[in-house]
Amino acid sequence: MHKTNVFWVQRLVWGVRRALLGLLAVAVVATAAEPFVIDDIKVQGLHRVEPGTVFATLPFRVGDTFTEDKSTAAISALFATGLFTDVKVNVLQRQVVVQLQERPLVGEVSFTGLKEFKDDVILKALRDIGMAEGRPYDQALAERAEQELKRQYLTRSMYAVQVQRTVTPTRGNRVNLRFDVIEGEVATITSIRIVGNQAFDTDTLLDEMQLNTGGWFSWYTKSNRYAQPKFAADLEALKNFYLTRGYINFSVESTQVGISPDKQSITLTINVHEGRQYRVAEVKLSGDYLGKQAAFSRLSVIRVGQPYNALTVEETTQAMRNYFGEFGYAFAQVNTVPQTDDDKGLVTLELVGVPSRRVYVRRIEIEGNERTRDEVIRREFRQSEAAWYDGARIRLSRDRVDRLGYFTNVDVQTRAVTGTPDQVDLVVRVVERPTGNISLGAAYSQEEKISLVLGMQLENVLGSGNYLGLEVNTSKYNRTFSLSHTDPYFTQNGISRSIDVYSRTQRPYDSQLTNANTNYSVVTNGGALRFGLPFSETDTVYVGLGAESIRIKDGASLPDAYREFRTLYGAPASGYPLTVGWRRDGRDSFLAPTEGRLQRVNFEAGLGKLRYTRLDYQFQQYWPLTKRYTLALNTELGLGQGSGGRPLPVFKNFYGGGLGSVRGFEQGTFGGKSKVDGSASNLLNVGGDRKLLANMEFITPVPGAGTDRTLRLFGFVDVGNVYCSAGAGIDCPDSANKLRASSGVGISWISPVGPLRLAWAKPLSKQDGDKMQTLQFSIGTSF
């Protein structure tokens, strides 16, 4: 007989034996004598299972009195372990003999025909239900594994999948399992019908749903593949659509999901009841509002006379719950009781306040910070332990932790303390992101021999919250050493300290120059010390002083602007830049803001030989249009001026064009030009002394990005320019001082190697001679 057939006969015998468990127990005990004291216990038939496991399971020990009930209990307990297919308890004089047949173990689990999934994905799914190599095998578990494999395919809308299971006995009381899969084709949605809608046409309602019959991007979004969770979300979206337009009594009465005989086509039918539209007649407050009804009333955004809107009702009740939280009522409720007038189509909303009990915070627990130290998170918290619960302080604390930029997600939950009704614990859950990157490169050429490049940016050094940046480049054309360090909590009250030291030697090897054999160089050495002084939760003032020396070493192809700079400011030109700045950051997130405002001003005054003033201002505003869509505005203004009748030093000019400015134009090409050795055919971009920039973006998460909220798509319009003044070796034609504009689309992502941005842009306004780049990509550019 074939081994597989023998195996299945054995399995059948095991099943019969297990079904007759009770009869076996009675039969065995029937041979036993009257109850007796056990002198010895023997276990037979073990190969892999440790004897200690059996003895620990038995309900009797040597010296106990053996009875029929204990024998039956022993058999049941041993079967319950799932380790044995047969159990017998025999009695020999005063000795108990336990005879066991071990269950076979799962050997190799393999698949054939898998294309939609990787083997590891399916193996993990089977492991989660108990089917894995080395675990006990039984028929029921094998059937569950087969059903789980089919379920995985159903989540991908592959209803025609066929799975055949083969079980093969091997040596050592093991069995190998092979699942042969015929995947079939993907079933797609061919029709979606909505029945019962009168106020809105079907196309309008279908636009609210994720599922559809397919489109240009269905290959990526899989929107034409049926999935029950997506369908449930779509039904909820339809409900929200009606509830935000006054249809209080809207309901989905029934749904039908049909599949064709060949399991390739799916039809969806949704039967709805709209009811009539209601307008808000009055909003009343009742219950306990702590004697502050007027303050609570001002939080309402429900508009009387307008159609009922579930979103404004939820926004109002949430604002009221938050306000309760500011007084320590963490579990306050605001219940909405609608009273409808069906004849007039009016609804009166009664908001019932239930403050519940006042509580204080016992502990603040932090979870998920594997690298970041607890103190880095705790020092951002404004809610204290052993203090009254304050909802406003907790929200502020969450935003401060999020603005650190070390986490992709920050969530604060309130957990009641069992047995202590006036205490709660705050659980802060963070999801860390990579906050550092190191790059190392080397190059060889006959001219330069070996050149090395080392770059390191660590935003959260060893989880301390400190920043460390290092750049080393030994190239002949761009020799650099730069070291930066920032301690955001140099003092306990939050004063930050930043130190910068740098030395750069640049021999411009610019593609704008037709003569690449330039040998002049610009050597810049310097350092700076800055402090940040917070004077509110969102405001910080920065002060700093630096020292800088710029030396231009003569050589061929020296730009006229550089020659004039050396004449005006000397060689070397040394100075001491004094900086004063202000920053107010009210954004809800550092990585992917959706709401809030950022403002910053920086004033720089050059002391010493390099005398100048330079002012920068930036304003950002984020408006959440919906939970998915955000509108963002960025504006920047810059103004620079020299001192003593001299122009702004060329090395302090503003630059514009490209990512971070007006996209679609070549990077840094706005502003004036400088002739090289007086030649009009050789021009170097040198920027200008004034800057104007405005960016508008419409932002949405990338479909299918999951929990990574930093992966976003955006459409944009950019307007701006860098304005120049003629003189000091700088040519500034009229066309250089005219606005440029562009529009386009792009994608951004905070990746493990830094912020990535890709933009495709077309100019809306350009001038003759402008250099365009339709597609631009960068690592590290913001906005």
Side-chain angles (χ1 to χ4, degrees):
M1 183 179 294
H2 194 277
K3 288 185 178 180
T4 303
N5 294 334
V6 172
F7 178 79
W8 285 114
V9 171
Q10 292 175 344
R11 301 284 80 75
L12 179 61
V13 171
W14 293 343
V16 172
R17 287 177 176 176
R18 189 167 185 176
L20 298 177
L21 171 62
L23 295 176
L24 285 172
V26 173
V28 171
V29 177
T31 63
E34 294 295 324
F36 62 90
V37 177
I38 302 173
D39 290 340
D40 192 17
I41 301 174
K42 291 187 177 180
V43 178
Q44 300 175 349
L46 295 183
H47 300 284
R48 295 183 309 272
V49 179
E50 293 292 330
T53 302
V54 177
F55 285 113
T57 305
L58 294 175
F60 47 76
R61 303 287 184 271
V62 173
D64 291 351
T65 300
F66 182 84
T67 64
E68 176 182 345
D69 290 342
K70 289 185 177 181
S71 176
T72 303
I75 294 174
S76 298
L78 290 169
F79 268 117
T81 64
L83 300 174
F84 309 105
T85 59
D86 194 14
V87 178
K88 293 181 180 178
V89 177
N90 295 323
V91 175
L92 182 61
Q93 295 180 353
R94 293 182 178 275
Q95 185 181 81
V96 177
V97 181
V98 181
Q99 295 180 326
L100 302 169
Q101 174 68 49
E102 291 182 340
R103 188 179 299 282
L105 296 183
V106 176
E108 181 184 8
V109 179
S110 59
F111 310 93
T112 63
L114 283 187
K115 298 177 183 177
E116 185 71 13
F117 297 94
K118 293 182 178 180
D119 287 9
D120 291 345
V121 174
I122 300 300
L123 285 173
K124 181 182 183 304
L126 298 187
R127 191 181 305 115
D128 290 342
I129 65 169
M131 172 62 72
E133 183 177 352
R135 294 188 181 181
Y137 170 85
D138 66 33
Q139 177 72 12
L141 183 59
E143 291 176 355
R144 281 188 62 197
E146 184 176 321
Q147 294 304 314
E148 174 62 22
L149 181 53
K150 290 181 178 179
R151 191 190 69 81
Q152 293 290 327
Y153 276 92
L154 295 184
T155 63
R156 301 287 180 93
S157 200
M158 302 181 75
Y159 295 91
V161 64
Q162 300 178 36
V163 179
Q164 184 175 355
R165 181 179 73 251
T166 302
V167 182
T168 305
T170 63
R171 294 180 180 180
N173 197 25
R174 288 175 174 263
V175 295
N176 291 340
L177 278 82
R178 188 183 78 239
F179 294 92
D180 300 308
V181 180
I182 301 176
E183 294 185 334
E185 298 295 327
V186 175
T188 57
I189 300 172
T190 57
S191 172
I192 302 178
R193 296 177 61 243
I194 300 178
V195 180
N197 56 306
Q198 296 178 352
F200 304 96
D201 59 62
T202 300
D203 288 341
T204 299
L205 299 180
L206 291 179
D207 287 342
E208 300 297 314
M209 300 175 59
Q210 299 180 60
L211 296 177
N212 54 47
T213 55
W216 287 100
F217 293 100
S218 295
W219 60 271
Y220 173 72
T221 62
K222 307 295 189 296
S223 61
N224 60 342
R225 292 191 184 188
Y226 173 80
Q228 197 279 330
K230 284 186 178 181
F231 190 41
D234 283 342
L235 296 180
E236 190 65 25
L238 287 179
K239 181 179 179 181
N240 290 337
F241 178 83
Y242 274 93
L243 288 179
T244 56
R245 288 160 176 80
Y247 293 85
I248 298 178
N249 297 322
F250 171 83
S251 64
V252 177
E253 296 187 325
S254 63
T255 60
Q256 292 87 40
V257 180
I259 187 167
S260 62
D262 62 359
K263 298 183 180 180
Q264 300 301 301
S265 302
I266 294 176
T267 59
L268 304 178
T269 303
I270 305 170
N271 298 291
V272 302
H273 170 70
E274 291 182 331
R276 71 167 301 167
Q277 186 185 55
Y278 290 85
R279 293 181 176 271
V280 178
E282 184 183 3
V283 179
K284 299 189 299 184
L285 271 61
S286 64
D288 184 1
Y289 283 95
L290 311 178
K292 302 177 183 294
Q293 280 83 353
F296 277 93
S297 294
R298 287 193 292 270
L299 298 175
S300 176
V301 294
I302 304 171
R303 300 177 62 184
V304 175
Q306 296 296 315
Y308 171 88
N309 189 326
L311 287 180
T312 60
V313 173
E314 173 58 27
E315 185 179 346
T316 297
T317 56
Q318 182 62 52
M320 291 181 174
R321 288 194 294 269
N322 290 342
Y323 195 48
F324 271 118
E326 295 182 21
F327 301 101
Y329 297 92
F331 302 104
Q333 295 293 322
V334 178
N335 302 315
T336 305
V337 180
Q339 301 169 359
T340 59
D341 184 336
D342 296 337
D343 295 333
K344 297 180 180 179
L346 298 176
V347 58
T348 297
L349 299 176
E350 183 179 0
L351 305 182
V352 182
V354 183
S356 188
R357 61 191 183 277
R358 194 181 186 194
V359 299
Y360 67 89
V361 175
R362 183 184 67 164
R363 276 200 308 263
I364 299 176
E365 300 178 358
I366 302 174
E367 300 177 356
N369 55 321
E370 296 180 1
R371 294 186 302 273
T372 306
R373 302 172 189 173
D374 273 16
E375 64 173 325
V376 173
I377 298 174
R378 291 185 182 277
R379 66 193 184 191
E380 301 299 328
F381 254 73
R382 297 302 178 258
Q383 170 68 58
S384 303
E385 294 180 333
W388 286 114
Y389 178 98
D390 189 328
R393 288 181 174 270
I394 293 172
R395 290 191 298 276
L396 173 62
S397 301
R398 194 217 73 85
D399 289 346
R400 288 181 62 88
V401 173
D402 201 358
R403 285 198 294 265
L404 289 174
Y406 308 152
F407 313 107
T408 59
N409 189 59
V410 179
D411 183 47
V412 181
Q413 296 291 332
T414 302
R415 184 172 62 196
V417 177
T418 304
T420 311
D422 64 342
Q423 294 182 14
V424 296
D425 290 337
L426 295 183
V427 181
V428 185
R429 294 187 177 92
V430 298
V431 179
E432 293 183 314
R433 73 174 187 92
T435 55
N437 62 82
I438 299 176
S439 60
L440 179 64
Y444 176 82
S445 67
Q446 290 184 348
E447 183 179 356
E448 295 191 68
K449 303 304 180 183
I450 296 178
S451 61
L452 300 175
V453 178
L454 171 65
M456 179 176 65
Q457 292 83 37
L458 304 175
E459 298 178 22
N460 187 12
V461 181
L462 300 176
S464 65
N466 292 349
Y467 170 82
L468 178 65
L470 174 65
E471 182 182 359
V472 177
N473 190 333
T474 65
S475 168
K476 176 180 179 181
Y477 294 102
N478 189 19
R479 184 162 298 168
T480 302
F481 173 81
S482 174
L483 179 65
S484 301
H485 178 266
T486 298
D487 182 353
Y489 275 78
F490 178 63
T491 65
Q492 291 185 351
N493 56 0
I495 295 178
S496 65
R497 182 198 64 187
S498 298
I499 301 174
D500 299 321
V501 179
Y502 55 88
S503 175
R504 302 184 181 93
T505 300
Q506 296 173 310
R507 292 178 173 86
Y509 195 2
D510 198 292
S511 60
Q512 302 167 86
L513 305 178
T514 57
N515 178 13
N517 296 317
T518 58
N519 58 6
Y520 75 92
S521 62
V522 179
V523 181
T524 306
N525 298 314
L529 177 65
R530 298 186 305 277
F531 293 94
L533 295 82
F535 63 92
S536 77
E537 296 296 346
T538 57
D539 294 88
T540 304
V541 169
Y542 297 91
V543 294
L545 181 65
E548 186 175 48
S549 171
I550 302 175
R551 178 188 295 272
I552 299 177
K553 295 183 179 180
D554 208 355
S557 301
L558 182 66
D560 293 355
Y562 291 5
R563 182 176 289 107
E564 289 293 326
F565 172 86
R566 187 173 58 184
T567 301
L568 290 171
Y569 294 99
S574 59
Y576 304 93
L578 172 67
T579 59
V580 179
W582 166 75
R583 175 188 176 100
R584 172 176 291 173
D585 193 350
R587 298 173 298 174
D588 61 344
S589 172
F590 172 80
L591 295 178
T594 59
E595 185 176 8
R597 177 182 300 168
L598 168 69
Q599 295 183 82
R600 55 187 170 194
V601 177
N602 188 71
F603 174 77
E604 181 177 327
L607 307 177
K609 290 184 180 180
L610 280 175
R611 290 186 172 272
Y612 63 92
T613 56
R614 197 171 186 267
L615 180 66
D616 298 88
Y617 173 72
Q618 182 180 25
F619 173 89
Q620 288 184 2
Q621 180 72 51
Y622 294 86
W623 295 278
L625 303 179
T626 67
K627 290 184 178 180
R628 290 183 55 84
Y629 304 121
T630 301
L631 187 65
L633 170 67
N634 176 70
T635 59
E636 297 179 29
L637 300 173
L639 178 63
Q641 185 175 358
S643 178
R646 293 179 294 185
L648 180 69
V650 65
F651 296 105
K652 300 298 179 180
N653 275 352
F654 299 99
Y655 286 83
L659 289 172
S661 180
V662 181
R663 285 158 281 198
F665 292 83
E666 190 172 304
Q667 202 76 29
T669 55
F670 289 175
K673 315 291 182 185
S674 177
K675 296 176 183 178
V676 176
D677 287 335
S679 172
S681 60
N682 262 356
L683 298 175
L684 180 72
N685 295 313
V686 292
D689 54 6
R690 289 153 291 158
K691 179 178 71 171
L692 173 64
L693 176 65
N695 314 98
M696 182 71 76
E697 290 187 356
F698 177 80
I699 306 170
T700 179
V702 172
T707 58
D708 191 349
R709 59 196 175 113
T710 69
L711 182 58
R712 306 196 291 181
L713 296 171
F714 58 87
F716 64 86
V717 175
D718 297 336
V719 179
N721 194 20
V722 169
Y723 298 89
C724 57
S725 300
I730 298 177
D731 293 338
C732 187
D734 291 341
S735 60
N737 287 335
K738 293 184 178 179
L739 280 175
R740 271 72 166 177
S742 67
S743 64
V745 295
I747 185 170
S748 63
W749 179 39
I750 307 297
S751 75
V753 298
L756 303 182
R757 287 181 78 86
L758 177 68
W760 179 92
K762 283 292 186 181
L764 300 176
S765 175
K766 66 176 184 176
Q767 301 296 319
D768 293 339
D770 285 345
K771 296 182 178 181
M772 311 304 300
Q773 288 181 335
T774 302
L775 189 65
Q776 295 177 314
F777 171 81
S778 77
I779 300 178
T781 301
S782 62
F783 208 91

